[in-house]
Amino acid sequence: MAASANPPSARAWWKSAVVYQIYPISFFDSNGDGFGDLNGILAKLDYLKSLGVDVLWLSPIYRSPLADMGYDIADYREIDSRYGTLADWDRLIAGVHERGMKLMMDLVVNHTSDEHEWFVQSRSDKDTSRNPKRNWYIWRPPKYDAHGNRQPPNNWKSVFQGSAWDYDEQTQECYLHLYVSKQPDLNWDNSAVRNAVFDLMEWWINRGCDGFRMDVINIISKVDGLPDAPVADPKEQYQPASAFFANGPRVHQYIKEMNDRVLSRHDLITVGETPFTQNAQDLLPYVLPSRRELNMVFQFELMGIDSHIDPYGSDVPLIPKEWKLKNLKEVITRWQTFEREAGFWNAVFIENHDHSRSVSRFGNDSPEWRSLSAKLLSMLEITQSGTLYIYQGQEIGMKNAPPTWGLEEYKDVATINYWNSVLEKRKRESPGLDVDMSDVMDGIRRKARDHARTPMQWKDLPHAGFTSGTPWMRVNDDYQEWNVAAQLESRTSVWSFWKHALEIRKTYDVLIYGDFTLLSPEHEQVFAYTRVLGESIALVLLNFHHTPVQFSLDEVPHLIGAPFILGNYSPTDDREAATSIISLREYEGRVYIVKT
Ligand code: NOJ
């Protein structure tokens, strides 16, 4: 292995940190209006500290019409009144810092809300000599077809369905929005836009913020000329175009500039969200320390293993497919070993607000196996190298909403738009006939983003103790049994397991910094690997199946006798050292660690 100036074993606080993602609207409502809020988060800081959390990441809390649940920001320097005030934020950050924790904000700067003052000004006049904000967004004249019908400037499809362009009557041009119409894309080629973004970052840092999660940061630079995308589906008017906006021509120039101007001047944690990327090499420049861009990125290969893939290689989450342990092993192994000697550092996550619950996807959420498999997934997470991210509710094994819920319970614009677009297409293709949408509903029941957005289950009280009012979104039906209060009292709960598992991770550096080697790649039900750091070796065995299995240590005979450190069955029994053949029960995971 080549020597490196930045080996992954080089220590940093943000590498060993446990980050907990809060989806504020669904976390805890302190004032009974049905929306979670900042004072609700403040009230739960001791809870988070006792779990072992070091850093909080708040999904957006800025003023927003919530066209995309706050990922459409109308004012970067105001808190949305549903969540509280800037004074509440100041109290929150003080509470976070008093407890020795840190806080990251969500930086959503590929686009704003159409209600942001910048866009209101931008759309007010197309004459750039009078309107200095016109070029802050991406405006183009419409096209006209042979019949004189107005068409968008190109054929790009928005990520959330339909054309990526909207026509503005007043100035008779179209603006680009890669997400919904109410999320116009900023023009990063304009230095005034970049300056404004860097200013607002400084503004939050001066207020006390400790870092940023950067929303779709790899799509800020679009291919010059905005050419049409190739036609992937001739029956569709608009075509997937991520090849023209993901990891675009000047993205690294802009992130480097951000680093020079802002990030390098502070001791921050930074993670870029980088979807639409099939080639791992394309993510290297964002994170190689020598490049001075970001600490790490969220790559989505694992999140895609149970999704249909479109002709461009991007996953379509609402068209599910069965995942295979073989793929999960391949993807995790690739990222655990990817360019480590060059200093690549991972962000380890299996849940966030854009994906269904991990115990329902990768575990087994039936009553018999839910708790064990949620703990198994916890072991998968805490034994990987990288900064660890936990999503709210994951620590108590929250699962998907019940399959009996109808479409009316789903709130997410991505889901609703997807449903409507498939419905329209099928009606167009079979006019006058009944349309069967059961496959689409099945996809939604398994994979919709809303599964992660149901309110946090705190107690066996109405609405799970999340609110004393009417919750903005229905609480999962299982809250009487599956809630924080019940799990805090039980030594065998998923919560107690996570707390212990995080202590183990922090005790054994090998779990955070060690080198990863996959064992028995072909094994059909056990994911086995070692982690090595100096004289420490960890052996991790995870049985991903509801049948028992035996695993032989033939490949690693030197680990026979390694002491047992962590397991998801009884906290006290079965602690014997590793034997040459290890019997694993249903969904059993075991970690052994030895110092040679
Ligand atoms: C990624 C965010 O995580 C998601 O929730 C949002 O819809 C899109 N970016 C657009 O901002």
Side-chain angles (χ1 to χ4, degrees):
M1 187 182 288
S4 156
N6 277 292
S9 56
R11 306 299 199 259
W13 68 264
W14 49 266
K15 289 183 174 178
S16 56
V18 172
V19 183
Y20 184 96
Q21 182 191 351
I22 294 185
Y23 196 64
I25 200 166
S26 292
F27 190 62
F28 184 55
D29 173 17
S30 70
N31 62 1
D33 65 1
F35 302 106
D37 47 41
L38 296 184
N39 287 332
I41 300 172
L42 182 64
K44 298 296 183 187
L45 289 183
D46 289 330
Y47 164 78
L48 295 167
K49 180 80 188 167
S50 73
L51 177 62
V53 170
D54 304 304
V55 178
L56 307 184
W57 150 28
L58 304 189
S59 277
I61 48 167
Y62 318 90
R63 185 157 70 74
S64 166
L66 300 196
D68 182 19
M69 297 311 299
Y71 285 89
D72 50 316
I73 297 172
D75 189 337
Y76 290 100
R77 290 176 168 84
E78 272 300 330
I79 304 294
D80 194 276
S81 57
R82 298 173 188 86
Y83 304 130
T85 62
L86 278 172
D88 295 334
W89 191 90
D90 291 340
R91 273 190 294 278
L92 176 64
I93 194 79
V96 166
H97 288 164
E98 270 161 29
R99 288 167 179 80
M101 298 192 284
K102 294 179 187 277
L103 185 142
M104 297 162 81
M105 294 290 275
D106 214 317
L107 185 74
V108 188
V109 287
N110 172 66
H111 43 265
T112 66
S113 163
D114 65 339
E115 296 181 28
H116 195 294
E117 190 50 33
W118 298 343
F119 189 71
V120 173
Q121 285 180 32
S122 183
R123 78 186 319 171
S124 67
D125 185 345
K126 81 170 165 205
D127 185 335
T128 49
S129 66
R130 286 191 300 259
N131 183 0
K133 290 280 189 311
R134 184 63 171 184
N135 282 335
W136 279 44
Y137 293 83
I138 301 172
W139 291 96
R140 293 288 182 279
K143 282 185 176 163
Y144 289 89
D145 64 18
H147 310 288
N149 297 320
R150 194 174 57 230
Q151 300 294 340
N154 70 20
N155 68 353
W156 292 5
K157 180 179 163 188
S158 136
V159 178
F160 288 164
Q161 313 303 320
S163 169
W165 297 90
D166 258 35
Y167 181 69
D168 176 60
E169 288 291 346
Q170 193 187 326
T171 58
Q172 303 190 348
E173 285 191 328
C174 301
Y175 65 88
L176 180 72
H177 59 83
L178 292 179
Y179 289 86
V180 295
S181 302
K182 285 184 71 62
Q183 290 169 296
D185 280 48
L186 282 163
N187 175 15
W188 273 73
D189 294 332
N190 182 340
S191 61
V193 167
R194 303 200 297 278
N195 290 339
V197 169
F198 302 155
D199 281 355
L200 75 90
M201 293 174 76
E202 279 293 351
W203 190 86
W204 281 105
I205 294 166
N206 288 336
R207 239 186 153 89
C209 143
D210 302 292
F212 298 99
R213 175 268 186 186
M214 302 182 188
D215 191 68
V216 290
I217 198 66
N218 64 332
I219 67 170
I220 57 177
S221 170
K222 284 80 178 168
V223 165
D224 289 331
L226 310 178
D228 273 344
V231 176
D233 181 349
K235 289 201 209 127
E236 290 292 322
Q237 200 176 354
Y238 307 116
Q239 306 294 331
S242 60
F244 298 87
F245 56 75
N247 311 309
R250 285 170 294 280
V251 66
H252 295 294
Q253 178 192 324
Y254 299 153
I255 297 181
K256 258 179 192 309
E257 191 180 339
M258 177 195 282
N259 188 298
D260 286 350
R261 299 265 303 275
V262 184
L263 306 179
S264 61
R265 297 167 192 271
H266 309 274
D267 183 20
L268 300 171
I269 175 169
T270 56
V271 52
E273 189 204 24
T274 50
F276 316 112
T277 305
Q278 285 72 50
N279 184 352
Q281 294 292 333
D282 291 342
L283 295 182
L284 266 177
Y286 294 99
V287 303
L288 286 190
S290 57
R291 303 265 316 185
R292 301 193 181 283
E293 294 191 20
L294 304 175
N295 291 157
M296 62 197 123
V297 292
F298 288 131
Q299 55 78 19
F300 289 97
E301 249 197 290
L302 184 64
M303 294 291 105
I305 67 170
D306 60 351
S307 304
H308 168 79
I309 305 291
D310 79 11
Y312 281 91
S314 288
D315 56 294
V316 185
L318 289 173
I319 308 183
K321 75 168 195 224
E322 295 310 318
W323 66 276
K324 296 200 167 46
L325 184 61
K326 188 168 174 288
N327 296 134
L328 179 133
K329 289 187 192 187
E330 271 167 16
V331 169
I332 292 182
T333 303
R334 181 169 333 120
W335 287 98
Q336 285 294 293
T337 52
F338 183 54
E339 297 289 346
R340 274 179 63 80
E341 63 272 31
F344 189 97
W345 188 253
N346 276 298
V348 175
F349 73 103
I350 200 170
E351 277 192 29
N352 67 27
H353 64 292
D354 289 333
H355 297 275
S356 53
R357 290 289 183 176
S358 61
V359 70
S360 302
R361 282 175 90 178
F362 301 115
N364 183 332
D365 68 7
S366 68
E368 197 178 2
W369 306 120
R370 179 171 174 183
S371 174
L372 269 174
S373 66
K375 293 172 190 170
L376 182 84
L377 293 173
S378 161
M379 296 178 76
L380 173 71
E381 296 298 282
I382 68 113
T383 55
Q384 286 181 60
S385 175
T387 301
L388 179 56
Y389 290 79
I390 304 174
Y391 179 69
Q392 73 181 39
Q394 191 180 348
E395 77 275 28
I396 58 166
M398 278 177 68
K399 70 171 187 174
N400 282 358
T404 49
W405 284 18
L407 189 66
E408 68 284 358
E409 302 294 355
Y410 292 83
K411 309 286 177 215
D412 177 19
V413 66
T415 297
I416 306 302
N417 285 4
Y418 178 71
W419 170 277
N420 289 336
S421 77
V422 177
L423 184 64
E424 270 167 36
K425 186 174 174 204
R426 290 185 183 175
K427 280 185 173 164
R428 234 176 18 240
E429 287 170 358
S430 317
L433 296 179
D434 277 350
V435 172
D436 178 8
M437 292 289 283
S438 53
D439 57 329
V440 178
M441 198 60 219
D442 177 59
I444 291 173
R445 287 187 174 123
R446 289 163 62 182
K447 296 286 299 294
R449 307 200 294 182
D450 278 325
H451 293 297
R453 300 176 179 188
T454 61
M456 183 73 185
Q457 296 165 206
W458 293 105
K459 288 184 180 141
D460 177 11
L461 283 178
H463 310 308
F466 159 70
T467 179
S468 57
T470 305
W472 77 278
M473 187 183 181
R474 182 170 167 182
V475 172
N476 200 322
D477 302 357
D478 64 1
Y479 71 87
Q480 285 162 317
E481 192 184 344
W482 288 83
N483 61 64
V484 168
Q487 295 206 16
L488 289 177
E489 279 173 17
S490 159
R491 284 184 56 229
T492 58
S493 67
V494 177
W495 192 90
S496 297
F497 185 81
W498 263 106
K499 178 178 167 65
H500 178 57
L502 292 177
E503 282 162 9
I504 295 287
R505 180 171 169 90
K506 287 178 180 170
T507 307
Y508 297 96
D509 269 3
V510 61
L511 296 176
I512 301 171
Y513 294 103
D515 286 333
F516 179 102
T517 303
L518 178 66
L519 302 179
S520 299
E522 300 304 325
H523 203 296
E524 282 180 2
Q525 73 185 75
V526 178
F527 188 10
Y529 44 92
T530 58
R531 304 287 311 283
V532 178
L533 181 71
E535 292 173 347
S536 294
I537 309 176
L539 169 67
V540 182
L541 305 177
L542 306 170
N543 176 12
F544 269 83
H545 204 258
H546 59 267
T547 54
V549 67
Q550 293 201 323
F551 190 85
S552 155
L553 295 196
D554 277 357
E555 286 166 276
V556 281
H558 54 291
L559 295 183
I560 295 171
F564 174 97
I565 297 294
L566 181 68
N568 59 348
Y569 268 69
S570 158
T572 48
D573 306 340
D574 314 310
R575 307 183 63 92
E576 79 273 11
T579 47
S580 58
I581 293 183
I582 295 176
S583 300
L584 295 167
R585 288 163 287 187
E586 300 87 339
Y587 291 110
E588 180 163 16
R590 288 168 168 256
V591 179
Y592 302 87
I593 298 182
V594 70
K595 254 193 187 291
T596 53

